[in-house]
């Protein structure tokens, strides 16, 4: 995959994931709107650098009609991460995805751990299971935060570049690898990096939802999540909560958010990280 493929990949992914979202959204929940120009730009901005850090992990399938599909994956120390993966609607179910995933997986050949956040697409789930991944259901929580429920959270401060080293050590302990170069992308996707004063946990967050929450223990992770909720001006979303992280479900329900399941965390060679709320693409 080259930089020239990225805009077409963005369009292809918007259509392919739009179809999956429309089918998977339960009754009573809003179907996500079509991807906005700002989100499309964000997708391109965070995908482009991955072609530089991990050229061997990013593959495109093309024919004379253009881009048929793509897989973007990265290797971070011992961990292989499938960032995103899609085949053009109308061309799915013909073996293109299998070939793309095979190439992307070769990039992670030396890794004893693998991780990805899967949609509810049956073809994707069968593919990951066949590739040796265990599939763990994810919960998501959304709605207006009841601010009267928010407890005192203790000392927190804004994260700085000086914090990235201990954050990488924490991520290494929790998921087997640091985010390393992906911190720049996470910072670009979010508005805030909050850390505990004791350097025991961090959260990448936005006014509308969490991106990553990680800590040395569940109590600290809960405090960080409360801090994210306290900053929410309106509707807030906490996605990608596995059953290894019921502390997060506890916080979200106490804050009176609505609850549902959404997609799966796929892991190979490791258990679902905890206490940890992963990001959907950079994990
Ligand atoms: C997931 C996706 C990338 C797979 O690509 P693809 O080209 O459709 O996949 P393939 O044809 O190579 O393989 C699909 C597998 O699912 C199986 N499959 C096909 N239709 C199926 C169905 N309705 N139910 C269950 N399994 C099915 C196929 O047998 C094949 O398995 P096999 O290789 O062991 O025989 C593609 O379907 C897609 O873009 N989906 C929408 C976006 C998405 O959800 N991406 C994944 C994000 S985690």
């Amino acid at each position: 995959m080259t930089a020239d493929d990225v805009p077409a990949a963005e369009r292809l992914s918007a259509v392919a994931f739009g179809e999956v979202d429309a089918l998977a959204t339960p009754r009573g929940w809003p179907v996500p709107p079509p991807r906005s120009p700002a989100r499309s730009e964000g997708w391109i901005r965070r995908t482009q650098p991955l072609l530089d850090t991990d050229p061997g992990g990013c593959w495109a399938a093309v024919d004379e009609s253009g881009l048929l599909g793509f897989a973007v994956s990265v290797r971070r120390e011992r961990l292989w991460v499938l960032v995103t993966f899609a085949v053009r609607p109308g061309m799915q179910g013909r073996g293109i995805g299998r070939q793309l995933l095979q190439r992307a997986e070769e990039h992670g050949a030396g890794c004893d751990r693998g991780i990805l956040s899967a949609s509810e697409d049956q073809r994707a789930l069968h593919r990951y299971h066949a590739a040796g991944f265990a599939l763990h259901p994810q919960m998501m929580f959304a709605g207006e935060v009841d601010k009267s429920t928010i407890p005192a959270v203790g000392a927190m401060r804004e994260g700085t570049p000086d914090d990235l080293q201990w954050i990488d050590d924490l991520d290494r302990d929790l998921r087997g690898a640091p985010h390393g170069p992906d911190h720049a992308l996470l910072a670009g996707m979010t508005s805030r990096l909050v850390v505990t004063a004791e350097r025991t946990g961090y959260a990448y967050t936005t006014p509308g939802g969490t991106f990553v929450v990680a800590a040395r223990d569940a109590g600290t992770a809960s405090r960080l999540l409360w801090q994210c909720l306290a900053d929410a001006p309106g509707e807030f979303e906490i996605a990608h909560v596995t059953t290894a992280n019921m502390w997060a479900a506890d916080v979200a329900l106490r804050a009176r958010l609505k609850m549902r399941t959404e997609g799966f965390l796929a892991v190979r060679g490791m258990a679902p990280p905890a206490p940890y709320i992963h990001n959907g693409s950079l994990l």
Side-chain angles (χ1 to χ4, degrees):
M1 185 169 173
T2 69
D4 291 344
D5 295 315
V6 175
E10 188 284 318
R11 279 298 83 207
L12 192 158
S13 100
V15 177
F17 284 103
E19 285 190 355
V20 176
D21 285 347
L23 287 173
T25 305
R27 212 181 304 160
W29 289 75
V31 174
R35 200 180 279 172
S36 66
R39 282 191 58 214
S40 296
E41 269 172 43
W43 196 99
I44 290 172
R45 219 174 23 245
R46 76 164 185 269
T47 304
Q48 206 90 52
L50 302 176
L51 302 186
D52 297 328
T53 57
D54 295 78
C58 305
W59 290 88
V62 289
D63 72 2
E64 56 289 346
S65 71
L67 187 71
L68 298 173
F70 64 92
V72 173
S73 73
V74 301
R75 194 170 58 203
R76 298 287 171 263
E77 298 186 353
R78 63 191 290 198
L79 181 68
W80 178 76
V81 180
L82 182 62
V83 176
T84 183
F85 172 44
V87 167
R88 190 200 295 168
M91 298 300 283
Q92 296 170 357
R94 302 181 188 190
I96 297 170
R98 172 159 28 86
Q99 294 180 64
L100 283 166
L101 196 61
Q102 214 163 29
R103 294 293 179 91
E105 279 205 272
E106 282 163 18
H107 181 58
C111 297
D112 63 347
R113 294 182 169 205
I115 194 165
L116 64 100
S117 182
S119 69
E120 303 203 0
D121 186 296
Q122 294 304 313
R123 288 172 290 256
L125 296 173
H126 281 252
R127 197 83 302 292
Y128 302 144
H129 180 256
F133 283 87
L135 299 162
H136 298 265
Q138 295 173 159
M139 292 167 271
M140 81 95 101
F141 304 85
E144 194 85 30
V145 180
D146 179 347
K147 294 283 175 82
S148 73
T149 62
I150 295 176
V153 295
M156 307 266 171
R157 62 174 171 80
E158 300 307 309
T160 72
D162 287 344
D163 291 303
L164 297 185
Q165 183 148 10
W166 68 259
I167 287 177
D168 277 347
D169 290 340
L170 174 61
D171 285 338
R172 207 177 270 113
D173 289 344
L174 292 175
R175 60 174 210 151
H179 281 98
D182 305 328
H183 282 296
L185 309 186
L186 286 166
M189 290 153 79
T190 56
S191 54
R192 226 188 144 186
L193 169 62
V194 196
V195 303
T196 60
E198 318 82 55
R199 302 185 160 203
T200 47
Y202 73 93
Y204 277 107
T205 187
T206 71
T210 53
F211 276 62
V212 179
V213 181
R216 290 275 165 210
D217 59 82
T220 306
S222 300
R223 289 200 292 121
L224 280 157
L225 187 53
W226 278 119
Q227 180 64 61
C228 298
L229 290 163
D231 295 341
E235 294 270 319
F236 197 78
E237 184 176 296
I238 305 166
H240 309 121
V241 176
T242 59
T243 56
N245 290 287
M246 292 313 287
W247 58 269
D250 188 49
V251 169
L253 292 173
R254 281 167 59 197
R256 308 228 191 287
L257 300 187
K258 293 199 302 174
M259 174 180 193
R260 58 177 265 210
T261 53
E262 185 190 50
F264 296 82
L265 177 69
V267 285
R268 189 169 61 191
M270 61 190 286
Y276 192 79
I277 301 177
H278 56 271
N279 173 247
S281 50
L282 296 169
L283 280 302

